[in-house]
Amino acid sequence: MRLWSLHPRYFDRQALTACWREALLAQSVLANPGRGYRNHPQLERFMAQSDPIGAIGIYLSAIAEEADARGYRFNTGKISARPELDVLIPVTSGQLAYEWLHLLTKLGTRSPQVARRWADEVAPEAHPLFRVTQGPIASWERVRA
């Protein structure tokens, strides 16, 4: 499961649709904590929120908005809750940088045109749910060599 901290504008079609599916799975796990991937490290930052379902709903909404902007039609009726949260989830600059390199590597393999489009981006924007703070890669990340 990969719940990207990056803004979905950087995703190719495959990443956008995979992120949508995985976030829907995360929503299901958060709603029913006794099943599925409840201990998955990617869920830690959502479970730490006072309203985990609301937080994942906001996450999903931004993915759906990007899909809509591209002419895709994701079923937003599957989003359980879309409250207005006045708190953003922190994400470290190290985590964002790690994810950026990870995404660029994936894009270079399967969507070279998209990778070239973003190759000069030095400060990628975070997903609208996240606020960037200084720091290393998150403790929950499984770092690949």
Side-chain angles (χ1 to χ4, degrees), residues 54-86:
I56 199 72
I58 291 170
Y59 185 88
L60 279 160
S61 293
I63 301 298
E65 286 174 20
E66 179 63 26
D68 188 55
R70 297 183 191 191
Y72 305 139
R73 297 292 175 255
F74 289 2
N75 182 357
T76 57
K78 293 183 176 189
I79 302 174
S80 295
R82 284 181 247 173
E84 294 295 325
L85 291 181
D86 56 356

Side-chain angles (χ1 to χ4, degrees), residues 17-91:
T17 56
C19 191
W20 173 253
R21 285 190 315 270
E22 291 171 5
L24 285 172
L25 173 61
Q27 177 181 253
S28 176
V29 171
L30 291 168
N32 301 300
R35 57 184 281 241
Y37 294 98
R38 71 179 186 277
N39 294 321
H40 197 288
Q42 287 274 336
L43 295 178
E44 285 181 20
R45 57 189 170 171
F46 291 92
M47 290 188 296
Q49 303 309 304
S50 61
D51 181 6
I53 301 297
I56 199 72
I58 291 170
Y59 185 88
L60 279 160
S61 293
I63 301 298
E65 286 174 20
E66 179 63 26
D68 188 55
R70 297 183 191 191
Y72 305 139
R73 297 292 175 255
F74 289 2
N75 182 357
T76 57
K78 293 183 176 189
I79 302 174
S80 295
R82 284 181 247 173
E84 294 295 325
L85 291 181
D86 56 356
V87 142
L88 298 176
I89 299 174
V91 62

Side-chain angles (χ1 to χ4, degrees), residues 1-2 8 23 25 29 33 45 47 49-50 61 63 68 74 84 87 92 102 109-111 113 124 131-133 137 143:
M1 180 186 301
R2 168 64 60 185
L25 173 61
V29 171
R45 57 189 170 171
M47 290 188 296
Q49 303 309 304
S50 61
S61 293
I63 301 298
D68 188 55
F74 289 2
E84 294 295 325
V87 142
T92 61
H102 185 55
T109 301
R110 72 173 178 238
S111 299
Q113 287 181 316
R131 174 182 45 87
V132 181
T133 61
I137 296 173
V143 178

